[in-house]
Amino acid sequence: MNILLVGATGLVGQGVLRVLLQDPGEPQVTVLVRRPFPVASPRVRVMQVAEFSTAALERLDLGGFDACLYCAGPLPLLLSEQAYREATVGVLERVSSAFARANAGGYLVYVSGAAADAGSRWMPLRVKGQAEQVPGRAGLASTCLRPGGIRPTQGERSPHRTRRVIYGLGMPVLALAEKLMPGSFTTTEAVGRCMLALVRAGAPYPPIVENRQISAFAAR
């Protein structure tokens, strides 16, 4: 299995990469990044571009992948709707288009968010809902995961200082919330295992996987 992973430097992407590297099937992983990335395994290849622009992505060889696991995306804190849409929808559009050109009929799994809805009155949910529509427009089969709160369970460390502090202080609360409200909370490991299970299962792919279903797929 040959996987393209986008967003490997983020909290969720780190967790997904760890799941891939621990899997006994030994999938090959290519990480698409904008910053230098330490190679953790001989099964990891790094594709680095200065920015996810159309021109930069067109220069890459993105062919031969079984799936693209897309975990990138910023928090909406302190971002205008225009900036958040560009970072969430705009980048996904460019990556999806480049991946689709090289992998006709390919498959993309996108980490969206709980209650994402293109018609929502709340900006983050509206933008996430708009992003969910992007892979289909590019001609890709896709599944959108809608996790609620995500607890890091494999030693993942957020690249953002504020988020590291929040997770450090709130870890006991997140662990308890996951037990009491499995429909609203999950873990980085479960997200990674769910993604891998979806790729292995093959078509037909479910268009949406809600938070509670993530654990069910992860257990397969």
Side-chain angles (χ1 to χ4, degrees):
M1 186 182 296
N2 197 6
I3 301 293
L4 177 66
L5 176 60
V6 185
T9 59
L11 195 74
V12 175
Q14 290 173 43
V16 173
L17 178 59
R18 291 188 185 210
V19 167
L20 293 172
L21 294 181
Q22 292 167 4
D23 185 75
E26 299 189 347
Q28 300 296 311
V29 185
T30 297
V31 294
L32 178 59
V33 294
R34 285 175 286 197
R35 300 190 296 274
F37 187 86
V39 178
S41 164
R43 288 194 285 116
V44 176
R45 182 170 62 122
V46 178
M47 281 188 180
Q48 183 181 348
V49 291
E51 58 181 355
F52 288 166
S53 66
T54 299
L57 292 168
E58 284 180 347
R59 289 193 290 269
L60 299 177
D61 179 9
L62 296 178
F65 290 103
D66 294 290
C68 173
L69 307 184
Y70 193 98
C71 308
L75 292 173
L77 300 176
L78 304 179
L79 292 178
S80 67
E81 180 167 355
Q82 180 179 359
Y84 186 57
R85 181 178 290 109
E86 163 56 25
T88 304
V89 180
V91 175
L92 178 58
E93 284 179 332
R94 294 190 288 275
V95 172
S96 294
S97 295
F99 183 75
R101 282 194 296 271
N103 301 273
Y107 178 50
L108 185 146
V109 188
Y110 170 60
V111 179
S112 181
D117 180 356
S120 175
R121 285 194 246 179
W122 194 35
M123 185 273 284
L125 300 184
R126 182 169 62 251
V127 172
K128 280 288 190 180
Q130 293 166 355
E132 290 184 350
Q133 301 169 357
V134 167
R137 290 202 299 266
L140 297 171
S142 66
T143 299
C144 297
L145 304 192
R146 290 181 175 173
I150 301 177
R151 181 168 66 95
T153 54
Q154 305 173 102
E156 299 92 345
R157 182 177 170 84
S158 173
H160 305 290
R161 182 179 178 184
T162 301
R163 202 169 184 181
R164 287 198 301 269
V165 172
I166 293 172
Y167 273 105
L169 295 174
M171 192 64 72
V173 176
L174 283 173
L176 179 61
E178 184 191 344
K179 291 181 179 179
L180 296 178
M181 296 180 288
S184 300
F185 291 85
T186 187
T187 67
T188 49
E189 182 179 6
V191 170
R193 291 190 180 281
C194 174
M195 288 180 137
L196 190 54
L198 286 165
V199 176
R200 284 210 168 108
Y205 302 107
I208 301 292
V209 173
E210 300 288 354
N211 189 93
R212 187 179 294 274
Q213 297 170 296
I214 289 174
S215 296
F217 275 100
R220 291 187 177 184

